[in-house]
C-alpha cells in the first residue's frame, strides 16, 4: 500500500471477480485495479469491454487478405525473436525507415527490454482487428511478457500498431507507429516504465530495480534496503513467499500518474505504493505484485525509507491473501510488520493518530478514511497499526493471521469475525487499541488513560519503547508537528 509525506494512502485494488468486490465497495473512488499499478486490466474481451477494439466504423470493412495477415504475423514474430535474442540490428530492420521518431523510441524500448530477465515475449492478434488505412494497416496486438523469477505467469497487455509494406517488398510489413492516443485513451492502455523512456535496470538478491538516468545514482542504497526488507519481512510472516520483487524507483512521477485509482489521485501524496500486476484483461489472478517509490524517497536513505520498504513488501508478500480483509487489518498488519526491526524506543506514531486516540475513537477506521483529505489517513494508519499491536500483545501474533484468514471466507462479517476470533466487538477493539497507544506514547499516562472501554486491561504492546515520537515513514514526514515518540520508561 502507499505511504504519504503526511499520510498513508491505500493501494489500488486488483481486478477481481464479483466475489472480490468488497474492497471496491470500501473505497470511494475504486473502479478497477491496484492493478498494473494497480494494473488497469478490465473485462473479458480482447481489450476489456463488450465492444470490439476497433471502432464499429473501422470494424465494418472486409477482413484483411490472407497475405496481409501472414505478413503481419511474420513481422511480429521477427520482432519478438529479435528482442529475445538481443539482436538490435534485426529489431531495427523491422522498423519503417521514414519514421525517425518511431525508430528512436522503439530502439530505446529494445534497449530497455534487453536489460530485463525475459522468460517470455510474444505477440498475437485477431484478423478481425486489422483495419486498412491507405496502404497501411492498424492492428490490435496482444503482447505476452513474463519476467523470469518475478512473474508467476505472463502478463498480457494490448496495444495498437501501424504497419506499412516495405518499399520493395509488399509482403514484408514494417512497424510505422505504436501510438494511437484516442484508441489508447478509450481502451485504458497503461504503460510500464520501460515503455515511457530510457531506464536503467539494476539487480540484487531477489530484487529487480528499475531506475532512470536521474535516479540510478541511488540504486545501490535502494537495492540494499529492499534486500534487507525481504529478509526482515520473511522473518516476521508465518508462511513462505517468493522473496523476489520488482521495484520502480524513478526520478519523476510520470509512471505514478498512470496508475489507475491512484490513492488520493495525486502522486505527491504518496511516498510509495504497492500494486498487483494482473495476468491479463478480465483475469482476477495477478502475475506479480510490485511496488514503486516516489522520487523524494530516493534521497531519504535510512530508517524512514527502510520502514516504508518493509511496509510495501508486506503487501507484496501477502499478495492476494489480504484482498478480502478490511483495510484497517491489511494496512495495520503491514505497519505492524514494518516496525518489528525498529528498536521499541525508536518507534514513532503520527501526532494526528495519537490525538484521535486521546480524544477517543468511535470505531475501527473505514476504508474511505485512508484516502480522505486532511489528517484522516494519518489517524487511520496509526490506529490500524495499534489495533494490530493490541491484538498481538493480548492474543499472540497468531491471532493476526487468524483474523486475516477468517476475513478471507466468502461473505465474512466484520463483527461476527471479531467476536468469534477475539471475543470483542469492533468498537471494543478500537477503544482498547486507542488506550494502548495513549498509554505507550503519552508521558504519565497509564493503562486507564484514554477513552473508557470497560474493565479489561488494554493489553501490552509487543515491544516496550520509550519517549514521544515523530512521524513514521508510513505516515507523515514532518516530525515538527506530526508525530510522537514513545514515552520514557521509568
Amino acid at each position: 500500500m502507499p505511504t504519504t509525506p503526511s499520510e498513508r494512502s491505500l493501494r489500488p485494488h486488483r481486478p477481481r471477480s464479483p466475489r472480490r468486490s468488497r474492497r471496491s465497495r470500501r473505497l470511494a473512488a475504486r473502479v478497477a485495479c491496484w492493478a498494473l499499478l494497480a494494473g488497469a486490466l478490465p473485462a473479458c474481451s480482447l481489450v476489456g469491454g463488450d465492444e470490439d477494439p476497433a471502432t464499429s466504423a473501422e470494424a465494418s470493412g472486409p477482413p484483411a487478405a490472407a497475405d496481409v495477415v501472414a505478413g503481419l504475423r511474420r513481422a511480429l514474430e521477427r520482432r519478438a525473436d529479435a528482442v529475445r535474442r538481443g539482436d538490435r540490428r534485426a529489431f531495427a530492420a523491422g522498423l519503417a525507415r521514414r519514421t525517425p521518431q518511431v525508430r528512436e523510441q522503439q530502439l530505446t524500448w529494445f534497449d530497455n527490454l534487453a536489460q530485463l530477465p525475459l522468460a517470455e515475449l510474444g505477440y498475437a492478434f485477431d484478423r478481425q482487428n486489422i483495419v486498412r488505412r491507405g496502404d497501411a494497416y492498424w492492428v490490435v496486438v496482444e503482447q505476452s511478457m513474463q519476467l523470469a523469477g518475478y512473474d508467476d505467469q505472463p502478463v498480457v497487455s494490448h496495444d495498437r500498431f501501424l504497419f506499412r509494406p516495405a518499399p520493395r517488398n509488399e509482403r514484408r510489413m514494417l512497424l510505422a507507429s505504436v501510438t494511437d492516443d484516442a484508441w489508447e485513451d478509450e481502451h485504458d492502455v497503461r504503460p510500464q516504465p520501460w515503455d515511457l523512456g530510457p531506464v536503467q535496470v539494476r539487480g540484487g538478491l531477489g530484487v529487480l530495480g528499475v531506475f532512470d538516468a536521474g535516479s540510478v545514482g541511488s540504486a545501490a542504497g535502494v537495492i540494499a534496503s529492499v534486500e534487507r526488507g525481504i529478509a526482515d519481512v520473511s522473518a516476521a510472516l508465518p508462511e513462505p513467499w517468493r522473496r523476489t520483487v520488482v521495484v520502480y524507483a524513478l526520478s519523476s512521477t510520470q509512471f505514478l500518474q498512470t496508475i489507475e485509482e491512484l490513492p488520493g489521485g495525486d502522486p505527491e501524496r504518496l511516498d510509495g505504493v504497492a500494486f498487483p500486476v494482473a495476468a491479463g484483461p478480465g483475469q482476477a489472478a495477478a502475475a506479480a505484485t510490485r511496488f514503486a517509490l516516489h522520487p523524494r524517497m530516493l534521497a531519504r536513505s535510512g530508517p524512514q525509507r527502510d520502514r516504508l520498504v518493509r511496509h510495501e513488501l508486506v503487501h507484496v508478500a501477502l499478495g492476494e491473501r489480504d484482498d478480502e480483509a478490511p483495510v484497517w487489518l491489511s494496512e495495520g498488519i503491514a505497519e505492524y510488520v514494518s516496525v518489528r526491526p525498529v528498536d521499541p524506543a525508536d518507534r514513532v506514531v503520527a501526532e494526528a493518530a495519537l490525538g484521535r486516540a486521546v480524544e477517543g475513537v468511535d470505531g475501527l477506521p473505514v476504508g474511505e478514511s485512508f484516502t480522505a483529505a486532511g489528517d484522516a489517513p494519518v489517524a487511520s494508519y496509526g490506529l490500524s497499526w495499534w489495533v494490530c499491536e493490541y491484538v498481538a500483545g493480548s492474543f499472540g501474533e497468531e491471532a493476526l493471521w487468524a483474523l486475516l484468514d477468517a476475513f478471507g471466507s466468502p461473505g465474512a462479517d466484520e463483527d461476527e469475525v471479531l467476536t468469534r476470533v477475539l471475543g470483542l466487538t469492533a468498537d471494543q477493539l478500537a477503544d482498547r487499541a486507542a488506550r494502548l497507544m495513549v498509554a505507550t506514547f503519552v508521558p504519565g499516562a497509564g493503562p486507564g488513560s484514554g477513552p473508557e472501554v470497560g474493565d479489561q486491561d488494554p493489553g501490552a504492546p509487543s515491544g516496550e519503547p520509550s519517549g514521544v515520537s515523530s512521524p513514521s515513514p508510513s505516515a507523515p514526514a514532518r516530525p515538527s508537528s506530526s508525530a510522537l515518540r514513545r514515552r520514557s520508561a521509568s
Side-chain angles (χ1 to χ4, degrees):
M1 304 290 199
T3 27
T4 77
S6 59
E7 65 203 31
R8 270 207 181 252
S9 311
L10 199 61
R11 58 173 171 166
H13 60 283
R14 310 169 191 278
R16 48 174 54 82
S17 63
R19 190 183 76 80
R20 294 182 168 190
S21 62
R22 285 178 58 195
R23 180 172 291 175
S24 63
R25 293 197 299 269
R26 296 193 312 234
L27 300 178
R30 295 276 192 223
V31 180
C33 324
W34 163 259
L36 201 261
L37 207 16
L41 302 166
C44 298
S45 69
L46 183 60
V47 272
D50 295 331
E51 298 180 356
D52 192 274
T55 65
S56 58
E58 291 175 329
S60 62
D67 61 336
V68 171
V69 174
L72 293 172
R73 183 166 290 116
R74 287 193 299 269
L76 289 169
E77 288 173 352
R78 286 193 297 266
R79 173 184 174 86
D81 182 65
V83 174
R84 290 192 300 263
R85 292 187 294 107
D87 190 336
R88 198 171 192 266
R89 176 177 293 183
F91 182 83
L95 305 175
R97 293 186 176 277
R98 296 182 179 180
T99 55
Q101 289 184 331
V102 174
R103 289 179 65 86
E104 180 181 3
Q105 186 275 336
Q106 283 294 289
L107 289 172
T108 295
W109 181 83
F110 175 91
D111 294 339
N112 289 343
L113 262 64
Q115 303 174 69
L116 298 176
L118 293 180
E120 177 180 324
L121 178 68
Y123 293 95
F125 63 89
D126 186 331
R127 67 184 301 171
Q128 298 299 319
N129 292 323
I130 300 173
V131 178
R132 182 166 184 170
R133 283 292 179 267
D135 65 346
Y137 297 88
W138 282 105
V139 57
V140 176
V141 298
E142 177 184 277
Q143 176 182 281
S144 178
M145 189 174 86
Q146 183 176 8
L147 299 180
Y150 296 92
D151 296 340
D152 291 331
Q153 58 185 301
V155 176
V156 174
S157 59
H158 296 97
D159 207 343
R160 201 170 189 228
F161 290 177
L162 179 68
F163 287 92
R164 297 185 185 278
R168 295 181 179 83
N169 183 357
E170 292 188 355
R171 297 179 61 188
R172 181 179 177 85
M173 293 292 178
L174 302 177
L175 184 64
S177 178
V178 295
T179 304
D180 182 343
D181 291 336
W183 186 91
E184 291 168 14
D185 288 344
E186 181 180 353
H187 296 93
D188 205 18
V189 173
R190 294 181 183 272
Q192 289 296 297
W194 44 81
D195 300 317
L196 296 173
V199 299
Q200 297 191 36
V201 179
R202 298 291 185 270
L205 183 61
V207 186
L208 187 70
V210 180
F211 302 87
D212 57 26
S215 67
V216 72
S218 302
V222 170
I223 295 294
S225 177
V226 179
E227 289 176 331
R228 291 191 299 271
I230 289 174
D232 291 336
V233 168
S234 299
L237 297 184
E239 296 180 0
W241 59 293
R242 177 189 281 273
R243 294 175 66 109
T244 64
V245 66
V246 177
V247 57
Y248 299 156
L250 306 165
S251 63
S252 80
T253 59
Q254 182 184 11
F255 176 74
L256 289 172
Q257 291 168 347
T258 71
I259 298 173
E260 182 170 5
E261 305 296 316
L262 185 71
D266 181 2
E268 294 306 321
R269 296 182 65 185
L270 305 175
D271 284 341
V273 60
F275 56 96
V277 181
Q283 298 189 37
T289 302
R290 302 170 185 167
F291 76 90
L293 297 176
H294 190 282
R296 65 173 158 261
M297 298 309 298
L298 301 179
R300 293 182 187 173
S301 59
Q304 181 184 17
R305 188 173 68 191
D306 287 347
R307 181 177 169 182
L308 165 65
V309 165
R310 289 191 295 270
H311 178 103
E312 304 307 341
L313 283 171
V314 173
H315 293 305
V316 173
L318 292 179
E320 298 178 340
R321 187 178 177 187
D322 67 349
D323 276 0
E324 302 299 333
V327 183
W328 61 261
L329 181 59
S330 61
E331 292 302 328
I333 286 176
E335 281 291 86
Y336 174 84
V337 173
S338 77
V339 302
R340 293 307 94 197
V342 180
D343 187 286
D346 294 328
R347 294 176 188 171
V348 297
V349 69
E351 184 178 345
L354 186 60
R356 283 281 304 279
V358 169
E359 294 171 1
V361 296
D362 55 4
L364 295 168
V366 297
E368 291 81 357
S369 69
F370 289 82
T371 55
D375 288 337
V378 182
S380 294
Y381 273 95
L383 181 58
S384 297
W385 167 22
W386 280 84
V387 166
C388 292
E389 291 282 359
Y390 172 79
V391 170
S394 299
F395 302 94
E397 286 189 353
E398 61 273 14
L400 292 175
W401 312 115
L403 282 174
L404 197 61
D405 291 340
F407 278 114
S409 301
D413 176 78
E414 183 173 278
D415 281 326
E416 188 279 328
V417 167
L418 292 176
T419 301
R420 171 164 51 86
V421 178
L422 303 179
L424 298 173
T425 67
D427 287 346
Q428 288 173 327
L429 179 57
D431 286 342
R432 289 169 185 177
R435 290 180 67 204
L436 177 60
M437 188 194 302
V438 173
T440 302
F441 287 100
V442 177
S449 301
E452 294 297 327
V453 297
D455 297 331
Q456 181 172 336
D457 188 280
S462 52
E464 189 56 50
S466 62
V468 186
S469 47
S470 77
S472 80
S474 50
R478 291 185 283 274
S480 60
S481 62
S482 61
L484 299 168
R485 187 174 299 280
R486 281 189 151 186
R487 61 187 174 87
S488 299
S490 58

